[in-house]
Amino acid sequence: MLAALLERFGTPLTITEVEDPQIGTGEVLVDVLATCIPPYAAEVFSGARRYPLEPPVISGVGAIGRVVRTGPDATRLHPGDLVWCDATVRSRDDAAAPDITLQGWSSAGEGGLTLSRYFHDGPFAQRMRVPTENAVALGDVDLADVARWSALGILLVPYGGLLAADLQAGETVVVSGATGNFGSAGVAVALAMGAACVVCPGRNAAVLRDLESRFGKRIRTVTLTGDGEADRAAIQAAAPAAVDVVLDLLPPSAGTGPVRAAALTVRPYGRIVLMGGVGMLGGDDLALPYPWLMRNSVTVRGQWMYPRMANHQLIAMIRSGVLDLSHEAVTVFPLTAANEAVEHAAAHGLPFQRTVLAPSGDLAGEAQT
């Protein structure tokens, strides 16, 4: 099969023939139809993000695929089924605190790294092997919509954060990083979950206006100034009611200032969920005042990725129309143009811009808006 191989950090991907993956019990083999390339993929492949990814590796993170073959323990999946291949692979020998790897992408701790050495290769190939529980049935999906469906890999991340916050319909949410690729996805998901209002702080005025035009009156935008106290006050003033939830999705390049300004807007008994990359490349740590947290009974939680059931829930939300994929503007590249696709993703990282690799070739050349 053909694959785009990262042989070492800082070099272009090599388009080459490799052996087809073999599966055993507890595994599924899929043809990879579409995989959404995160805008920061170039930073991962250059080594700038310092991910614990071990080349040589077939990279990528999450995909839409078609089942080729299942292991003997699969009872519901069949060859030909369309599936979402969830990249979040968990170890099976500790249900209370499983190790996690993002197949073909990243991992956490020594256990996650060990797991990644088995489920090593991701979707930048014509075929990939995934754990059975990570092949989630999509049902009937028009082939023309498959590229848009690959945005699941982006949408699931903020959904995991909002589940961790126990977001309830009618609540007010602040999405820190709302003008970014993941943050804007968080805005869409929060609204789909029934948020009464989503406050969107950011520096890019054009993107803030775009969010307002897409989602209407349930969006309130705030242009950040860099003055922490002024920004905090502006976010609180923009919210039509007390802020129930703050979700942070800012990238490693951001400082702690805007995170802190957003966090300090939450009401007593409110919830703060941290999912971004702030501090991963060094810099100041996030300092929240102990007395304020304690006396206001504020919950602060870190969240990496999402629970397994989130896959089924978000798929159901999309199929029902509650979460609308029509916002997704997709540009599709063939596997042979993987390096060009990575460059395109880096240059097109605004909200709802998706760069998709189509390793099987069926979707290449299509543009969807």
Side-chain angles (χ1 to χ4, degrees):
M1 69 174 184
L2 199 64
L5 184 68
L6 178 65
E7 297 190 80
R8 61 182 183 275
F9 290 119
T11 63
L13 301 174
T14 301
I15 313 302
T16 184
E17 288 286 338
V18 299
E19 291 186 3
D20 278 17
Q22 302 300 310
I23 67 165
T25 300
E27 298 170 354
V28 174
L29 181 67
V30 301
D31 284 331
V32 181
L33 300 181
T35 177
C36 188
I37 304 175
Y40 61 90
E43 298 175 32
V44 175
F45 299 155
S46 71
R49 285 240 174 177
R50 305 176 193 169
Y51 275 17
L53 184 64
E54 297 182 322
V57 61
I58 300 168
S59 193
V61 57
I64 305 295
R66 193 181 297 281
V67 174
V68 176
R69 188 163 59 253
T70 66
D73 59 331
T75 62
R76 303 290 179 89
L77 291 175
H78 302 95
D81 287 348
L82 277 177
V83 292
W84 160 245
C85 301
D86 179 16
T88 310
V89 179
R90 295 171 174 84
S91 59
R92 295 162 170 165
D93 50 358
D94 186 347
D99 289 305
I100 294 178
T101 187
L102 302 186
Q103 186 174 357
W105 198 248
S106 185
S107 59
E110 287 300 317
L113 193 59
T114 298
L115 190 60
S116 76
R117 289 168 183 159
Y118 181 74
F119 288 108
H120 190 57
D121 292 326
F124 280 19
Q126 291 176 318
R127 288 186 168 179
M128 69 181 294
R129 175 187 64 181
V130 298
T132 303
E133 63 270 26
N134 286 56
V136 185
L138 288 179
D140 294 329
V141 172
D142 192 315
L143 193 64
D145 293 329
V146 162
R148 279 199 180 97
W149 273 87
S150 70
L152 270 168
I154 304 295
L155 295 162
L156 275 162
V157 173
Y159 184 51
L162 294 167
L163 288 176
D166 191 28
L167 175 64
Q168 301 297 305
E171 290 192 315
T172 296
V173 182
V174 173
V175 176
S176 176
T179 57
N181 213 250
F182 284 99
S184 56
V187 173
V189 172
L191 292 172
M193 293 174 70
C197 176
V198 181
V199 181
C200 304
R203 296 181 185 276
N204 190 323
V207 172
L208 293 174
R209 287 194 298 271
D210 177 69
L211 290 173
E212 290 176 335
S213 67
R214 285 179 188 272
F215 298 115
K217 294 181 179 179
R218 290 165 68 199
I219 294 293
R220 304 290 177 88
T221 62
V222 176
T223 303
L224 296 175
T225 65
D227 180 322
E229 183 55 32
D231 289 340
R232 181 200 62 75
I235 294 169
Q236 283 186 317
V243 174
D244 302 288
V245 172
V246 173
L247 174 64
D248 179 73
L249 290 155
L250 282 166
S253 58
T256 58
V259 185
R260 192 173 191 273
L264 289 173
T265 64
V266 77
R267 64 168 173 81
Y269 300 93
R271 296 93 74 196
I272 300 166
V273 177
L274 306 176
M275 293 196 81
V278 172
M280 290 178 64
L281 300 179
D284 295 335
D285 196 4
L286 177 62
L288 294 175
Y290 187 115
W292 175 78
L293 289 170
M294 183 270 292
R295 291 187 181 279
N296 288 289
S297 300
V298 171
T299 298
V300 181
R301 173 170 171 171
Q303 178 69 29
W304 192 40
M305 305 309 285
Y306 40 83
R308 274 182 56 195
M309 279 304 297
N311 292 286
H312 302 272
Q313 293 163 345
L314 199 65
I315 288 168
M317 288 169 65
I318 294 171
R319 292 190 64 83
S320 71
V322 172
L323 181 59
D324 186 2
L325 290 183
S326 67
H327 292 285
E328 307 293 333
V330 180
T331 304
V332 183
F333 288 82
L335 183 59
T336 52
N339 287 297
E340 291 86 345
V342 171
E343 292 177 3
H344 184 274
H348 298 82
L350 291 176
F352 310 105
Q353 292 183 343
R354 314 294 183 211
T355 301
V356 173
L357 200 64
S360 71
D362 292 344
L363 310 177
E366 297 184 13
Q368 303 176 21
T369 56

